Amino acid sequence: MTRTVTVIPGDGIGPEVTREALETIDALGLDLRFDVLDHVNADTYLRTGVSLSDEDFERVKASDAVLFGAIGDPRVKTSDYGRGVLLRLRFDLDLFVNHRPAALLDERLSPLRDERTRKLDCVIVRENTEGLYTDIGGVLRAGTEHEMAVDADVSTHMGVSRIMEYAYSIAKRGVCMVDKSNAVRHGGQVWQRAFQEAAAKRPDITSTHLYVDAAAMKFISDPSQFDVIVTNNSYGDILSDLAAMLAGGLGNAASANINPVTGFGLYEPVHGSAPDIAGQGIGNPFGAILSSALMLEHLGWATEADALRRAVGVAISEGRCTPDLGGVLGTKEAGEAVRNALAAA
């Protein structure tokens, strides 16, 4: 059965790296059809004021997955555009899991020179639809010296319980729950209760707890100790970027925004639109390719996903990569290096 993937290349280097990801997927010869929404971008928003039309949203819903490039343009001065595309997809499709793997592909890439760093291989599981990013709050006396701003941090037992369930479902060794319940008492109580309930159901998995400041320190001192970290939206946002840097940089970082119940997912590199290098042909395509590997794995092509990851690892180890990884290749040439490694495997 042919699967349909909606492709949203987006802004900046998004179209460049997405192009390499699609060509690499094509090289696998899978039964996939791509529905490319190349008009969902900042140009359209600036011209029409529409981030993502209802018609385009329905095209997304009718597909099996979304492969996303990047979003963001310095000409857009408000957050409405980004929220109208990426956060609308996350919230309206209830993509409550943000799945961010971090594995060191080559030891020369890590900023830490330690035996434990070379064993970095973990997943940050971030609750994706609650927390501080729900846009609940407001401003009083805006623009005055008495301005007051309030953002509500939302945690529901249902939302926290289902992210715990997902974290334990993918754990191999252990789950570490990260919060700040000693200072954020009310939401912390919800997280602690859901964590204890989930841990009781899985006595075969080691369950640990850290406050977020301690977790950040332990990540630097010994990242090999972590298997799965589960945490809220804002802490997960921060810790997953920290993990990505320890694994070699944001250019290689892949992510999945998924709903394990419906099976739908949005897959994207996390490097952003990088407008300072857009159009120069030097953006790193590996994050987009590794995000497509996550997508293939969730669509049932685990063998092909593993082949993509190995091919990226070969390209990096041989120095066939973009300048951010110490190479001299452009975006297209780096993508070709991965495809050549696939063909040679």
Side-chain angles (χ1 to χ4, degrees):
M1 179 182 70
T2 301
R3 301 290 192 95
T4 299
V5 172
T6 302
V7 181
I8 302 178
D11 305 310
I13 65 171
E16 302 170 46
V17 299
T18 301
R19 186 180 307 115
E20 296 310 310
L22 294 181
E23 289 193 22
T24 306
I25 295 172
D26 280 340
L28 295 170
L30 304 177
D31 194 8
L32 279 172
R33 183 181 76 87
F34 299 117
D35 180 19
V36 181
L37 305 184
D38 53 10
H39 56 277
V40 179
N41 53 37
D43 287 336
T44 299
Y45 177 76
L46 289 168
R47 187 176 67 253
T48 67
V50 176
S51 298
L52 179 70
S53 70
D54 291 341
E55 178 184 353
D56 287 333
F57 182 73
E58 290 302 317
R59 286 169 68 176
V60 170
K61 285 177 62 177
S63 67
D64 296 285
V66 177
L67 185 61
F68 199 89
I71 196 166
D73 188 298
R75 296 174 298 167
V76 180
K77 304 304 181 183
T78 75
S79 62
D80 293 344
Y81 165 52
R83 296 188 68 90
V85 181
L86 194 53
L87 291 191
R88 180 184 181 185
L89 292 172
R90 288 181 183 174
F91 281 89
D92 289 5
L93 296 172
D94 199 22
L95 306 179
F96 63 88
V97 172
N98 183 263
H99 177 114
R100 284 277 297 271
L104 187 60
L105 295 172
D106 190 283
E107 62 183 71
R108 71 177 175 82
L109 299 181
S110 177
L112 301 182
R113 297 292 178 257
D114 190 286
E115 175 69 27
R116 294 168 296 186
T117 308
R118 292 195 286 273
K119 297 178 182 177
L120 169 62
D121 187 3
C122 68
V123 178
I124 310 293
V125 173
R126 164 187 167 193
E127 201 293 314
N128 215 22
T129 58
E130 296 186 350
L132 280 170
Y133 297 178
T134 56
D135 201 27
I136 296 175
V139 177
L140 180 65
R141 303 185 185 96
T144 74
E145 62 181 8
H146 301 292
E147 182 172 1
M148 182 181 73
V150 175
D151 291 288
D153 188 349
V154 178
S155 294
T156 69
H157 186 262
M158 181 273 290
V160 179
S161 295
R162 65 183 184 175
I163 201 69
M164 293 292 173
E165 181 180 351
Y166 178 80
Y168 277 91
S169 75
I170 66 168
K172 299 174 183 177
R173 297 181 285 114
V175 171
C176 178
M177 194 276 280
V178 172
D179 68 3
K180 193 62 176 172
S181 55
N182 59 336
V184 185
R185 293 189 301 153
H186 305 301
Q189 290 172 2
V190 177
W191 279 82
Q192 287 289 333
R193 174 185 162 200
F195 173 54
Q196 291 162 12
E197 291 169 349
K201 296 176 184 176
R202 292 297 306 273
D204 56 312
I205 297 294
T206 300
S207 299
T208 56
H209 165 256
L210 287 171
Y211 297 131
V212 64
D213 44 353
M217 290 190 295
K218 289 181 178 292
F219 226 130
I220 298 296
S221 63
D222 182 10
S224 68
Q225 67 186 279
F226 295 106
D227 177 22
V228 174
I229 291 176
V230 59
T231 189
N232 68 20
N233 213 333
S234 53
Y235 299 158
D237 197 357
I238 297 165
L239 290 177
S240 55
D241 278 3
L242 173 61
M245 290 307 296
L246 295 182
L250 287 180
N252 296 335
S255 78
N257 303 272
I258 57 179
N259 183 318
V261 179
T262 65
F264 194 88
L266 181 152
Y267 305 87
E268 57 168 334
V270 301
H271 48 56
S273 59
D276 56 321
I277 62 169
Q280 298 179 35
I282 59 173
N284 184 350
F286 293 167
I289 293 172
L290 291 171
S291 294
S292 68
L294 278 175
M295 180 184 73
L296 295 181
E297 183 176 21
H298 281 275
L299 290 176
W301 285 296
T303 299
E304 290 80 0
D306 287 340
L308 280 188
R309 295 185 184 104
R310 287 194 299 271
V312 170
V314 168
I316 291 174
S317 66
E318 295 180 352
R320 295 149 63 198
C321 47
T322 47
D324 60 307
L325 300 180
V328 297
L329 299 185
T331 307
K332 182 174 179 57
E333 292 75 22
E336 289 174 347
V338 175
R339 293 188 286 276
N340 290 337
L342 265 179

